Every structure is written in C-alpha cells, then in structure tokens.
Amino acid sequence: MAERKVLGVGILGAGFIGHFHARSWQGVRDADIVAVASRTRSSAEELAEEVSRLGVGSDVSVWGDAAELAQDPRVEAVWVLVPNDVRVETVAAICAEVKAGRSAVRAIAIEKPLGRTLAEAREVLRLVEDAGLLHGYLENQVYSPAITRAHELVWARGASVAGNPYLARCAEEHSGPHKAWFWDGRAQGGGVLNDMMCHSVEAGRYLLTPPGVDPSEWLTPVSVSASIESLKWSRPKYADRLMEQYPGAPDYRKMPSEDYARASFEFVNGDGETVVVEGTTSWSFVGAGLRLSFELLGPEYSMASNTLNTESSIFLSRALEQAEGEDMIEKQNAEQGLMPIVSDESLTYGYTSENAAVTSAFMKGEQPLESLKNGVAVVELLMAAYLSAQLGETVKFPVDLEEFVPEVAQGTWKP
C-alpha cells in the first residue's frame, strides 16, 4: 500500500485561536501539524502537547519565532495566528526565508482580520505574492456547514427560479475577548468592528454571491453607513472589572474601544442589482455565550441560522454549585439554568471545514477561493465603516483609505 502523503503545517501563534484550530484538525485528512511557534515558549509547548494528544500531529517541533518555524524542513505551509500588531512583521519574516531559499514553505494561511489598516492588509498581500506563495484567508464563518448548506440550497431552489437574493443580515455577539491586547484599540486596530465585523461582512458577501464565485468579483461596493458605541465597558463598574480580569487592558473611561457596532454595506451584484449586507457586532451581549446569527432574503425565499438554537441543552438547578468554565459554549456566561450545548464548536463555527478545504487546495497546488485578496477587500470595507462612523455620514466608493487610521486604533476616540 502506498504511503499516504500529507501536507506539513506549522502553526504560528499559540493563543486561544491556535487551540481552536488544533481541535478542528481532527477532521482534516490532507495535513498534519508538525511544528508550533510562539514568542512565549511555554505556550508553544502547551499547544504542541495538545496537538500530540489529539493525534493530529506527531514529533511536533517547538520554535521561538517565525523565521525558525519557516526553516523547519517539514513545514510546507504556515498558519499565521499571531496578534494583529505583529501580523506584518511576522509575514515579512516568513516570506524573507522563502525568498532566501532557506524554507520549504509553499503556502500560507492567515487569520482574520488581515491588518489593522488597509495599508497593512495590502502589504501582507504584497509580501505573500512577491514570495510566490499560495494563500488562504482564514474566515471560518464562510465554511460553517449550516451556512454553506443553506447557501447551496437557497441558490439552487430559490435564486435559480425567483432571482438573486438581495439582503444578508449577519451578527456576531458575545461578552468580550479573552486577552488584554484585544481590548487595546492600538494593538488590535480598533474594537469590536475590526475584531468581529470582519466575520459579518464576509459572511454577508458570501451569502449574496452564487456558489463557487469569488465575492470580490460578483459584488462591487457602493456605500457604507456605520455607527460605533461604547455601551457597557466604559461604565466605571465595568471599566474596573475589565482591568481586573485582563491586566494590561486600557482604562475604558479614558481610552475606550467600541463594544457595539452596526453597519449597512450597499453593493451592486454581477447582474447590476442593488444588494445589501447588514452587520451587527457586540462585546456587550448578555446571553448564554457566543451567538452567531445569519439571514438571507430573496424575492420568494429566505434562510436563517442561529448558533444558540442548538440540538441539545441541559438544565442545572440553583442547588448545584458550579465552577466557571467554557465546556458548553464559547464565551460561556452562566453555569446554571437552561443552557445550550454546542457539541462540536470547531465544526459548527466552520474551522474544521475551513482547514480541510484550505489544506486540500494547498496539497493539490491550487489557490483557495477564499484568498488574501478577499481579506484585503474586507479590511477596505471595515475602514470605510470606521470613516462613516467618525464622520457621521454615509461613505461612498471609491474612497481613498490608504493612509486612514481609525481614531479607535490611534487611542484618541472619545464617544
């Protein structure tokens, strides 16, 4: 029997999202995780141990930086999961090793968002293309089975008869990020709009685009109208709590980032019709945990999905003393009462299908449809949304955003 060939993948970044990807790898057939790197060696070692325990890689190498990981001869593709403020320098280090002939890396996949500004996102794409690498944009929600199956059916049974869909509504809401740097607009590039609206924008573009077609080729942006607010975490009680829970996080009474954002994006589709994506994102949501919701409306049809409408739930009475955890749902906010259970979060949120699709394409030497070019397009839309919120008016395309840095990302925003 011929030996099965798989892609050797290096994970760069060993935080929360790194562990999510590792768990998702149990559903990936075309690649093994062979190396992990992080600026914090103990974090890299912890993730490498989990990779081995899950059986999604063996003899996992541990490295201290991007260049060392890229030089590992077993690493053929790199998953870049590092914080936003070191994204450009990390990608530059990998590409430098490739161009110098010191690396076997031939493909790269990068987590959302691609940059803190449009200039950063474009620089990431330029570096990767200059190095001749295949590339994938890791936007997990467009790989979520509930969304991809509904998308397929709506276009096959509804759009093919009644016409194209015209409105997508997407929302991501939870109680706030896990790490201090996410809360710092300067390091993260903004607040919840930059952190999570990137999901809603791309999920909306995906839903409004026919299967197998690149959203950037089907949809042309026309205008953006947006607003941002700090509704919860700038209140004194919660500003204090934030700094207690996440040492190093800024004082939101003095330097807040938005914890709520809404935006309406107007496009013209490939048939010349006006279509709209409405996005809502929040770090101030109070509920069982992370809630992802999607709607798509067309002339004679619609679809809807909500990740808190789960197949299973459990009830725990007030007589039961419970320790805090996230064993039922991501960003879990309670341990008692009637609680939804997301049985396989990596699958439900799209990470498993995402990594299976991207590794399969890389293994074949093919370019994934969801590429870094889509990541650049998303950042451009996000920057236009920030500009709209700052100006208090609709922003129309084309608009020059090359040097635009949101006030939130400068640490100067005063809501």
Side-chain angles (χ1 to χ4, degrees):
M1 180 179 295
E3 184 179 354
R4 184 171 70 96
K5 293 183 179 180
V6 294
L7 189 75
V9 170
I11 301 290
L12 187 50
F16 171 81
I17 195 66
H19 289 267
F20 234 117
H21 278 282
R23 291 193 296 273
S24 80
W25 227 267
Q26 294 173 97
V28 175
R29 292 179 54 84
D30 291 312
D32 286 342
I33 300 172
V34 298
V36 175
S38 172
R39 293 175 296 177
T40 306
R41 189 171 183 85
S42 59
S43 297
E45 291 173 344
E46 181 181 346
L47 180 56
E49 289 174 2
E50 182 172 11
V51 167
S52 297
R53 179 180 61 80
L54 293 170
V56 295
S58 59
D59 299 322
V60 183
S61 304
V62 174
W63 304 104
D65 60 36
E68 289 182 344
L69 181 80
Q71 291 172 14
D72 188 323
R74 294 192 300 159
V75 174
E76 300 168 281
V78 178
W79 261 233
V80 178
L81 316 178
V82 298
N84 300 359
D85 59 335
V86 294
R87 184 71 50 81
V88 175
E89 64 185 68
T90 300
V91 173
I94 296 168
C95 293
E97 295 304 310
V98 171
K99 292 182 69 176
R102 293 187 293 266
S103 174
V105 170
R106 51 190 170 92
I108 190 168
I110 304 177
E111 261 294 344
K112 62 80 192 173
L114 206 54
R116 294 175 296 175
T117 64
L118 182 56
E120 285 191 355
R122 285 174 172 166
E123 176 63 6
V124 167
L125 176 60
R126 185 196 68 78
L127 288 165
V128 170
E129 288 186 331
D130 189 50
L133 298 175
L134 295 170
H135 49 86
Y137 177 53
L138 296 176
E139 173 43 69
N140 56 285
Q141 289 184 11
V142 303
Y143 292 94
S144 170
I147 304 308
T148 57
R149 183 57 177 152
H151 176 247
E152 178 185 351
L153 288 170
V154 160
W155 278 90
R157 288 182 169 268
S160 64
V161 179
N164 299 318
Y166 43 68
L167 176 62
R169 295 191 182 106
C170 305
E172 178 168 6
E173 304 161 290
H174 60 59
S175 56
H178 283 293
K179 296 286 186 179
W181 71 266
F182 277 101
W183 296 92
D184 188 334
R186 298 163 301 182
Q188 199 260 107
V192 72
L193 191 152
N194 194 55
D195 181 39
M196 298 195 331
M197 186 73 78
C198 53
H199 287 306
S200 299
V201 168
E202 191 63 344
R205 292 203 318 153
Y206 169 77
L207 288 170
L208 289 170
T209 301
V213 177
D214 188 334
S216 294
E217 296 179 1
W218 180 251
L219 299 174
T220 301
V222 174
S223 66
V224 180
S225 178
S227 65
I228 61 175
E229 304 291 345
S230 183
L231 298 177
K232 175 180 179 178
W233 293 102
S234 56
R235 296 185 178 189
K237 173 183 176 181
Y238 292 100
D240 287 337
R241 180 184 296 181
L242 178 60
M243 291 186 290
E244 290 171 5
Q245 288 183 319
Y246 302 104
D251 185 340
Y252 264 43
R253 287 164 293 198
K254 300 176 181 177
M255 197 181 75
S257 297
E258 78 279 359
D259 61 15
Y260 171 83
R262 68 105 199 134
S264 179
F265 303 86
E266 181 182 329
F267 302 89
V268 170
N269 69 15
D271 287 334
E273 302 161 328
T274 296
V275 297
V276 173
V277 172
E278 293 180 354
T280 304
T281 48
S282 174
W283 286 343
S284 50
F285 173 69
V286 178
L290 170 66
R291 180 171 71 179
L292 306 177
S293 58
F294 310 88
E295 290 182 84
L296 181 65
L297 286 76
E300 297 291 341
Y301 54 87
S302 65
M303 62 78 66
S305 174
N306 186 325
T307 57
L308 290 186
N309 295 338
T310 57
E311 294 177 341
S312 300
S313 62
I314 63 171
F315 174 79
L316 300 170
S317 83
R318 65 171 66 102
L320 297 172
E321 294 184 3
Q322 298 290 318
E324 291 187 7
E326 285 192 82
D327 50 342
M328 301 180 211
I329 190 170
E330 183 187 339
K331 307 296 191 301
Q332 187 174 317
N333 286 331
E335 280 70 39
Q336 292 176 311
L338 186 64
M339 290 293 295
I341 302 171
V342 179
S343 58
D344 188 339
E345 290 183 308
S346 296
L347 178 64
T348 297
Y349 302 150
Y351 291 96
T352 302
S353 299
E354 170 186 74
N355 288 326
V358 174
T359 56
S360 177
F362 286 168
M363 189 68 179
K364 297 173 184 175
E366 298 174 354
Q367 176 62 51
L369 184 63
E370 191 68 15
S371 73
L372 296 187
K373 292 180 180 179
N374 296 82
V376 172
V378 168
V379 173
E380 184 173 20
L381 291 165
L382 297 182
M383 292 303 108
Y386 270 119
L387 181 59
S388 172
Q390 287 182 198
L391 296 175
E393 62 186 42
T394 298
V395 168
K396 296 185 177 181
F397 286 85
V399 56
D400 184 3
L401 298 164
E402 183 65 26
E403 298 183 3
F404 175 69
V405 180
E407 291 175 347
V408 187
Q410 298 180 52
T412 60
W413 181 57
K414 302 299 180 185

